[in-house]
Amino acid sequence: MVYEPNNWGRFGPDDQRGTLNLLTPAAVLAALASAVTGQVLSLAMPIRGATSSAAPATIPHLRGRPLPQHFMSVDGGDYAAGTRPIGAGLRMADDAVVITPHGTTTHMDALCHMWAGEELYNGHPAARVRSYGATRCGIEHAGGVVARGILFDVPRHLGLDHLPADFRVPGELLAEICDDVRPGDAVVIRTGWPLTWDRSPQEYWSGQPGLSAGAGRWLAARDVSVVASDNAAIGGLNARQLADEGLEDDLHLILLWRHGVHLAEMLWLEELGEACAGRTGRDFVFVAAPLRIEGGTGSPINPLAIL
Amino acid sequence: MVYEPNNWGRFGPDDQRGTLNLLTPAAVLAALASAVTGQVLSLAMPIRGATSSAAPATIPHLRGRPLPQHFMSVDGGDYAAGTRPIGAGLRMADDAVVITPHGTTTHMDALCHMWAGEELYNGHPAARVRSYGATRCGIEHAGGVVARGILFDVPRHLGLDHLPADFRVPGELLAEICDDVRPGDAVVIRTGWPLTWDRSPQEYWSGQPGLSAGAGRWLAARDVSVVASDNAAIGGLNARQLADEGLEDDLHLILLWRHGVHLAEMLWLEELGEACAGRTGRDFVFVAAPLRIEGGTGSPINPLAIL
Amino acid sequence: MVYEPNNWGRFGPDDQRGTLNLLTPAAVLAALASAVTGQVLSLAMPIRGATSSAAPATIPHLRGRPLPQHFMSVDGGDYAAGTRPIGAGLRMADDAVVITPHGTTTHMDALCHMWAGEELYNGHPAARVRSYGATRCGIEHAGGVVARGILFDVPRHLGLDHLPADFRVPGELLAEICDDVRPGDAVVIRTGWPLTWDRSPQEYWSGQPGLSAGAGRWLAARDVSVVASDNAAIGGLNARQLADEGLEDDLHLILLWRHGVHLAEMLWLEELGEACAGRTGRDFVFVAAPLRIEGGTGSPINPLAIL
Amino acid sequence: MVYEPNNWGRFGPDDQRGTLNLLTPAAVLAALASAVTGQVLSLAMPIRGATSSAAPATIPHLRGRPLPQHFMSVDGGDYAAGTRPIGAGLRMADDAVVITPHGTTTHMDALCHMWAGEELYNGHPAARVRSYGATRCGIEHAGGVVARGILFDVPRHLGLDHLPADFRVPGELLAEICDDVRPGDAVVIRTGWPLTWDRSPQEYWSGQPGLSAGAGRWLAARDVSVVASDNAAIGGLNARQLADEGLEDDLHLILLWRHGVHLAEMLWLEELGEACAGRTGRDFVFVAAPLRIEGGTGSPINPLAIL
């Protein structure tokens, strides 16, 4: 299972240099041509951290995960209470965040995030993923992502508000929505599942719709660079918030592990869905710039769609 | 000191909705035209977190600031030691980061980061910046930034490796390097100062070169959207790591507070400097997507330059 | 509402020196005489932190609070995966904890934790409690606590496993259980409520039994040094996890704010209840040593009972 | 190297139950008899956390270690700025701490903190110390410590303010200071080294005095329960802040690993030294109550001496 670098820039087994971008310059230039109006949409959920209120719990997240925390280390309240300004009168606010991205906020997975057996993607030894961070396939190798984005708005195509929890999108349905997927594209799958959160967290936690293994293979065969979705795991989840597929059919293993396709999860796609519904093409410029966390298993991101 | 929203989209005193992008669609579309080769460069320093080693201290940072910490909550070592895989054999790595962005890593400042008196930018009350976060002018209002970027490589223009610690770039020097600055541009100032870190942290901490107040006013008059630099505070710092200017001339107050210009600091500009040196134009597409931290005073970013 | 230091050592309005112990030496010496067998019991719940599992959620806590997180920064798994030992062969494990004590773990409240109006206990200005920590009445002033402990095992006295959620212990009931309460004593109130957690977190969150305002006044009148309980707030809580009393009758205000009585909450008292049931006296040596967190609003503790 | 539980309660190879106290009840009762005046001294350094100031860096610590951080999540400043009280007028302050105890603050080591080869103390497999915490020999097994404390004030015995950086205390010198060491005693070694911090952190970091291997063996032979010191590593450190001894002579391996003796480091012993200098005996009641962090490699503590 050794992949050669391909025409959009995927790194090979001996290539562990930090890439500057996931795609080649030519692919980037082609991607930029997808912008028509210049409207920019954020595809991220807010990071609502607080420690003396239930604020973080009001954002869709997997049950039991440590939610983002946000602390102000100096703020306007301090000055109201008498803190002296700096120097001639300068005042400042400063803060800190504690983030565990998987399952709690919009993020991109590093290639070291999941595997089976003793080897990561492309044969890199899993034993190099240690407490100090991953020295193979960490998120710093993703570079930036500037790619042509394609929205697959599955519920809208089916006339639904959102997919039901047990829906697994077949590859045929993806093909029906758009068969013009090219190597290096960033494929964005809308399930609409985050809409259930406002009805009740319990409904959100009752399971999640996602891609079928067949859809994963269909995408891998088209050599996409990124698969992004508004669900938590690209594939679906059962009521215990676990993937049900066997090793052969697990979506993370198919895409991330076997084919080196980066995954982005927990996006917010409602405005993008609306915007793409009212236009001819469904492609746009997809930009994601994961933080350069050395050895990180992922990074919170604020993905942008330039329409 | 009340600003009207301008033609690149700056928000007015009564506008606290989350913007989707700092610039208007037309400005974004114009900016994309600056891409020529499609080469993408990351302008971020790595985030090197670790808690049992001195790793974080090897990245340029302001002395005494709490450095990024990175923890693996499950990793390949655990499996090597006998941890059972999930389900049929799936293995995963998971992690968390603790980040205080100002002074420690590449980041963008929110408009609530600095002020004088009782009011933030555009008259928003500073008392709304509290321990739960800023309910005015937080980083989530910056949206994404897709703008035309212009590099001012000051040391290269002067034939130096880097500017000396006490150098304050005059406005005239900026004008000499490039006078074609347009409203909404993202201006990127290279000082080269991070190069001193490898010689010694003590040299890095001995002070920092930066913009003069005159240069700040020159940029504000041109109505730029973002000023970014590889130094820690846009303006210069003395050996105590403080800005020396009075309130009237402080760079954060001129740009961020009086004119609503977002600031990005501690960028890594060495590759960009090299790349721009060998090409005719010095403009490119500048993209930054701060995390949507509600009420945050800033966000770590991985800014991209698309050449 | 200005208190004079009393015979067990309570600090007065002008006394902000770090105390070395909450009680006077004579009171400590008298307290040590309560030890009969030398058996030592921990009165703390475990701190079960983890970030890739639901472990922390298995310990009683108030709903929505940020649970303790525990990270290993180097561990045995790393060596199993090939990390080289230090020097000649030394191996080490290192870790970090993130703790928000109130509502999540056994802890002691500082005198700055709650107040009404503009003043803390003994007239100290509340405006001195800022983002850098409290410069008045922080937990570092509690010193150590070595006191005579008295267990009030209310459910056992009533023949119950635990008190019901809406039970508010009247002062008369305390008097009936033990009327020999002396100045400086550490009074420990068992409600048994943590036993409900194992049946279901939902039951634990349905409300909490606690002291009535009358019981609070009864204890304050006896000039105790510490009131500790296995519930989360000394007083009771309703289903929204809030105290229902008005300002006059709020237990934190009666004890902590008006009388400078330190409070310890979320203790584990099952073994102590058993042990005291089978012995003549119900007094013991109570020891608590809050961490010297400067300006802290409280500290996690591991209180000890020496029988 | 399998130890049998001894008469002060050390746990054997098959005993992984949480102990309630490190010592047996009889030993505790005997220890309490050492109290003469009832004066209680804290032996902890303050935890000075803050993230917008250099406060934490003003406390002695090993260079490069992540310092404690302390965040207020709601404080008096917020109310000064207009935050509404809870309910009828209740105000509260809440906070969080991030602590990496080793090398940064007064703490106790768990038996899983250091080892050589594949086994922890008493043959427990080192592979059970993983990212979720240690399931063998974690700090929660230390229980509380109530023991007879003996102060060895080495610099005072030698007529010095503090020991020099390269001083390694020989066993003979301990014997000369006090030969009445009994099984289960908590031995407290004063080096005076923290006094150098106020002169300069650089002097503090230039090395550290500590016990010699011979002193370690002398203490192990006397079957003490705890060795505590005001230095950072019980043994000495060189200018690179590492122990210089080989595996056979390493103090952590001699005491913690081979003999199951708990270590407490970075204590503050100046007041205790003064107090013991002016009294006949040098024994006292030593109490330490490590937080019950499940699987922790140590815990911050506030050790108490009851004189």
Side-chain angles (χ1 to χ4, degrees):
Chain A
M1 196 169 20
V2 171
Y3 260 84
E4 288 307 303
N6 62 8
N7 71 336
W8 53 263
R10 195 158 45 185
F11 70 81
D14 297 327
D15 184 357
Q16 274 292 327
R17 290 163 303 153
T19 55
L20 295 171
N21 191 61
L22 201 60
L23 277 75
T24 57
V28 168
L29 213 53
L32 291 181
S34 299
V36 175
T37 65
Q39 187 188 8
V40 179
L41 295 175
S42 163
L43 308 183
M45 296 196 297
I47 295 176
R48 189 169 290 162
T51 62
S52 279
S53 75
T58 59
I59 300 286
H61 63 269
L62 291 185
R63 192 172 38 204
R65 296 288 299 166
L67 302 181
Q69 298 188 38
H70 179 223
F71 301 99
M72 299 292 272
S73 44
V74 59
D75 56 52
D78 299 318
Y79 297 109
T83 292
R84 281 188 309 181
I86 307 165
L90 199 61
R91 295 166 189 230
M92 62 175 289
D94 187 10
D95 56 1
V97 284
V98 183
I99 300 187
T100 295
H102 303 290
T104 71
T105 192
T106 308
H107 67 279
M108 179 174 289
D109 289 351
L111 294 186
C112 69
H113 176 46
M114 281 203 182
W115 69 96
E118 310 295 328
E119 296 182 353
L120 307 176
Y121 167 70
N122 246 350
H124 295 290
R128 301 306 291 265
V129 182
R130 300 181 193 160
S131 296
Y132 279 12
T135 55
R136 294 291 183 278
C137 299
I139 192 64
E140 77 274 23
H141 294 292
V145 181
V146 181
R148 190 177 77 128
I150 311 270
L151 176 67
F152 288 79
D153 190 336
V154 188
R156 195 175 306 264
H157 182 79
L158 298 175
L160 300 169
D161 284 342
H162 61 81
L163 300 179
D166 59 358
F167 195 92
R168 300 295 176 264
V169 182
E172 295 73 19
L173 186 51
L174 293 185
E176 189 181 305
I177 295 176
C178 171
D179 203 11
D180 175 30
V181 175
R182 305 175 204 155
D185 279 353
V187 166
V188 179
I189 312 283
R190 182 173 169 263
T191 69
W193 192 247
L195 296 175
T196 63
W197 181 268
D198 275 349
R199 284 203 297 268
S200 90
Q202 277 64 35
E203 182 176 352
Y204 183 83
W205 291 329
S206 67
Q208 291 208 4
L211 295 185
S212 67
R217 291 190 189 99
W218 188 87
L219 290 167
R222 269 143 195 84
D223 213 9
V224 300
S225 62
V226 171
V227 176
S229 182
D230 56 357
N231 70 7
I234 305 298
L237 296 178
N238 62 23
R240 294 168 52 227
Q241 304 195 60
L242 294 173
D244 267 339
E245 295 87 1
L247 281 192
E248 200 54 40
D249 287 347
D250 183 89
L251 270 294
H252 275 75
L253 294 187
I254 292 172
L255 290 166
L256 189 83
W257 185 52
R258 294 202 185 93
H259 291 89
V261 177
H262 280 81
L263 305 179
E265 293 156 332
M266 303 189 71
L267 277 70
W268 180 255
L269 299 174
E270 297 312 303
E271 283 81 20
L272 182 64
E274 285 292 329
C276 287
R279 75 202 273 264
T280 314
R282 58 171 59 74
D283 60 339
F284 51 89
V285 187
F286 178 89
V287 183
L291 301 177
R292 295 186 59 187
I293 304 166
E294 286 190 346
T297 73
S299 171
I301 52 172
N302 182 2
L304 303 179
I306 312 176
L307 301 179
Chain B
M1 195 169 24
V2 171
Y3 260 85
E4 287 308 303
N6 62 7
N7 69 334
W8 53 263
R10 194 158 48 186
F11 68 82
D14 297 326
D15 184 358
Q16 274 292 325
R17 292 164 303 154
T19 54
L20 295 170
N21 191 62
L22 200 61
L23 276 76
T24 57
V28 167
L29 215 53
L32 292 182
S34 299
V36 175
T37 64
Q39 184 187 13
V40 179
L41 296 174
S42 164
L43 310 182
M45 296 195 297
I47 296 176
R48 188 169 292 163
T51 62
S52 280
S53 76
T58 58
I59 299 286
H61 62 270
L62 291 185
R63 191 172 40 204
R65 297 287 300 165
L67 301 181
Q69 299 187 38
H70 178 224
F71 301 100
M72 300 292 271
S73 43
V74 60
D75 57 49
D78 299 318
Y79 297 108
T83 291
R84 281 188 309 180
I86 307 166
L90 199 61
R91 295 166 190 230
M92 61 175 287
D94 187 10
D95 56 0
V97 284
V98 183
I99 300 187
T100 295
H102 302 290
T104 70
T105 192
T106 308
H107 67 279
M108 179 174 290
D109 289 351
L111 294 186
C112 68
H113 177 47
M114 280 204 182
W115 70 96
E118 310 295 327
E119 297 181 353
L120 308 176
Y121 167 70
N122 246 351
H124 295 290
R128 302 306 291 265
V129 182
R130 300 181 194 161
S131 296
Y132 280 14
T135 55
R136 294 292 183 280
C137 300
I139 192 65
E140 75 274 24
H141 294 293
V145 180
V146 182
R148 190 177 78 127
I150 311 271
L151 177 67
F152 288 80
D153 190 335
V154 187
R156 195 174 307 262
H157 181 80
L158 298 175
L160 301 169
D161 284 340
H162 62 81
L163 300 179
D166 59 358
F167 195 91
R168 301 296 175 264
V169 182
E172 295 73 21
L173 185 51
L174 293 185
E176 188 181 306
I177 295 175
C178 170
D179 203 11
D180 174 30
V181 175
R182 305 174 205 154
D185 278 353
V187 166
V188 180
I189 312 284
R190 181 172 171 266
T191 69
W193 193 247
L195 296 175
T196 62
W197 181 268
D198 275 349
R199 284 202 296 266
S200 91
Q202 276 65 34
E203 182 175 353
Y204 183 83
W205 292 329
S206 68
Q208 291 209 3
L211 295 185
S212 67
R217 291 191 189 97
W218 188 87
L219 290 167
R222 271 143 193 82
D223 212 9
V224 300
S225 62
V226 171
V227 176
S229 183
D230 57 357
N231 70 7
I234 305 298
L237 296 179
N238 62 23
R240 293 168 51 230
Q241 304 194 60
L242 295 172
D244 267 339
E245 295 86 0
L247 281 193
E248 201 53 41
D249 287 347
D250 182 89
L251 270 293
H252 274 74
L253 294 187
I254 292 172
L255 290 166
L256 188 84
W257 183 54
R258 293 201 184 93
H259 290 89
V261 177
H262 281 80
L263 305 179
E265 295 157 333
M266 304 187 73
L267 277 70
W268 180 256
L269 299 174
E270 298 313 303
E271 282 81 19
L272 182 65
E274 286 292 328
C276 287
R279 76 204 273 264
T280 314
R282 59 170 59 75
D283 60 340
F284 51 89
V285 188
F286 178 89
V287 184
L291 300 178
R292 294 186 57 188
I293 304 167
E294 286 190 347
T297 73
S299 170
I301 53 172
N302 181 2
L304 303 179
I306 312 176
L307 302 178
Chain C
M1 195 167 24
V2 171
Y3 261 85
E4 287 307 304
N6 63 6
N7 69 336
W8 54 263
R10 195 158 46 186
F11 69 81
D14 298 326
D15 183 357
Q16 274 291 325
R17 290 165 303 153
T19 55
L20 296 170
N21 191 60
L22 200 61
L23 276 75
T24 56
V28 168
L29 214 53
L32 292 182
S34 298
V36 175
T37 64
Q39 186 187 10
V40 179
L41 295 174
S42 164
L43 309 182
M45 296 196 297
I47 295 176
R48 188 170 291 162
T51 61
S52 279
S53 76
T58 58
I59 300 286
H61 62 269
L62 290 185
R63 192 172 39 204
R65 297 287 299 167
L67 302 180
Q69 298 188 40
H70 179 223
F71 301 99
M72 299 292 272
S73 43
V74 60
D75 56 51
D78 299 318
Y79 297 108
T83 291
R84 281 188 307 183
I86 307 165
L90 200 60
R91 295 166 190 230
M92 62 175 287
D94 187 9
D95 56 1
V97 284
V98 183
I99 300 188
T100 295
H102 303 288
T104 70
T105 192
T106 309
H107 67 279
M108 179 173 289
D109 289 351
L111 294 186
C112 69
H113 176 48
M114 281 203 182
W115 69 96
E118 310 295 328
E119 296 182 353
L120 308 176
Y121 167 70
N122 246 350
H124 295 291
R128 302 307 290 266
V129 182
R130 300 180 193 160
S131 296
Y132 280 12
T135 55
R136 295 290 183 281
C137 299
I139 192 64
E140 76 275 24
H141 294 293
V145 181
V146 181
R148 190 178 77 129
I150 311 272
L151 176 68
F152 288 79
D153 191 336
V154 187
R156 196 175 306 263
H157 182 80
L158 299 175
L160 300 169
D161 284 342
H162 61 80
L163 300 179
D166 59 358
F167 195 91
R168 301 295 176 265
V169 182
E172 295 73 20
L173 185 52
L174 293 185
E176 189 181 305
I177 295 176
C178 171
D179 204 10
D180 175 29
V181 175
R182 305 175 205 155
D185 279 353
V187 166
V188 180
I189 313 284
R190 181 173 171 265
T191 69
W193 192 247
L195 296 175
T196 63
W197 181 267
D198 275 348
R199 283 204 296 266
S200 91
Q202 277 64 35
E203 183 176 352
Y204 183 82
W205 291 329
S206 67
Q208 291 209 3
L211 294 185
S212 68
R217 292 191 188 99
W218 188 87
L219 289 167
R222 269 143 194 85
D223 213 11
V224 300
S225 62
V226 171
V227 176
S229 183
D230 56 357
N231 69 8
I234 305 297
L237 296 178
N238 62 22
R240 294 168 52 228
Q241 304 196 58
L242 295 172
D244 267 339
E245 294 87 1
L247 281 193
E248 201 53 41
D249 287 348
D250 182 90
L251 270 294
H252 274 74
L253 294 187
I254 293 172
L255 290 166
L256 189 84
W257 184 51
R258 294 203 184 93
H259 290 91
V261 177
H262 280 81
L263 305 179
E265 294 156 333
M266 303 189 71
L267 278 71
W268 180 256
L269 299 175
E270 298 312 304
E271 282 81 20
L272 182 64
E274 285 293 329
C276 287
R279 75 202 272 264
T280 314
R282 58 170 62 73
D283 60 338
F284 51 89
V285 188
F286 178 90
V287 184
L291 300 177
R292 295 186 60 186
I293 303 166
E294 286 190 347
T297 74
S299 170
I301 52 172
N302 182 1
L304 303 179
I306 312 175
L307 302 179
Chain D
M1 194 170 23
V2 171
Y3 260 85
E4 287 308 304
N6 62 7
N7 69 336
W8 53 265
R10 195 157 46 184
F11 69 83
D14 297 326
D15 183 358
Q16 273 292 324
R17 292 163 302 153
T19 54
L20 295 171
N21 192 61
L22 201 60
L23 277 76
T24 57
V28 168
L29 213 54
L32 292 181
S34 299
V36 175
T37 65
Q39 186 187 12
V40 179
L41 296 175
S42 163
L43 309 183
M45 295 195 297
I47 295 176
R48 188 168 290 163
T51 62
S52 280
S53 75
T58 58
I59 301 286
H61 62 268
L62 290 185
R63 192 171 38 203
R65 296 287 300 165
L67 301 181
Q69 299 189 37
H70 179 223
F71 301 99
M72 299 292 270
S73 43
V74 59
D75 57 51
D78 298 318
Y79 296 108
T83 291
R84 281 188 308 182
I86 307 166
L90 199 62
R91 295 166 189 229
M92 61 176 287
D94 187 11
D95 57 359
V97 284
V98 183
I99 300 187
T100 295
H102 303 290
T104 70
T105 192
T106 309
H107 68 278
M108 179 174 290
D109 289 351
L111 295 186
C112 68
H113 176 47
M114 282 204 181
W115 69 95
E118 310 294 328
E119 297 182 352
L120 308 177
Y121 168 70
N122 246 351
H124 295 290
R128 301 307 291 267
V129 182
R130 301 181 192 159
S131 296
Y132 279 14
T135 55
R136 294 291 184 280
C137 300
I139 192 65
E140 77 274 24
H141 294 293
V145 180
V146 181
R148 190 176 78 127
I150 311 271
L151 177 68
F152 288 79
D153 190 335
V154 187
R156 195 174 307 264
H157 182 80
L158 298 176
L160 301 168
D161 284 340
H162 61 82
L163 300 179
D166 59 358
F167 195 91
R168 301 296 176 263
V169 182
E172 295 72 19
L173 184 52
L174 293 186
E176 187 181 307
I177 295 176
C178 170
D179 204 10
D180 175 30
V181 176
R182 306 175 205 156
D185 279 352
V187 166
V188 179
I189 312 284
R190 181 172 171 265
T191 70
W193 193 248
L195 296 176
T196 62
W197 180 268
D198 275 349
R199 284 203 296 267
S200 92
Q202 276 65 35
E203 182 176 353
Y204 183 82
W205 292 329
S206 68
Q208 291 209 3
L211 295 185
S212 67
R217 292 192 187 97
W218 187 87
L219 290 167
R222 271 144 193 82
D223 212 11
V224 300
S225 62
V226 172
V227 176
S229 182
D230 56 357
N231 70 7
I234 305 298
L237 296 178
N238 63 23
R240 293 169 52 230
Q241 304 195 58
L242 294 173
D244 267 338
E245 295 88 0
L247 282 193
E248 201 53 40
D249 287 347
D250 182 89
L251 270 294
H252 274 73
L253 294 187
I254 293 172
L255 290 166
L256 189 84
W257 184 53
R258 295 202 183 91
H259 290 89
V261 177
H262 280 81
L263 305 179
E265 295 156 333
M266 304 188 72
L267 277 70
W268 180 256
L269 299 174
E270 297 312 303
E271 283 81 20
L272 182 65
E274 285 294 328
C276 286
R279 74 202 274 264
T280 314
R282 58 170 61 73
D283 60 341
F284 52 89
V285 188
F286 178 90
V287 184
L291 300 177
R292 294 186 59 187
I293 303 166
E294 286 189 348
T297 73
S299 170
I301 52 171
N302 181 1
L304 303 179
I306 313 175
L307 302 177

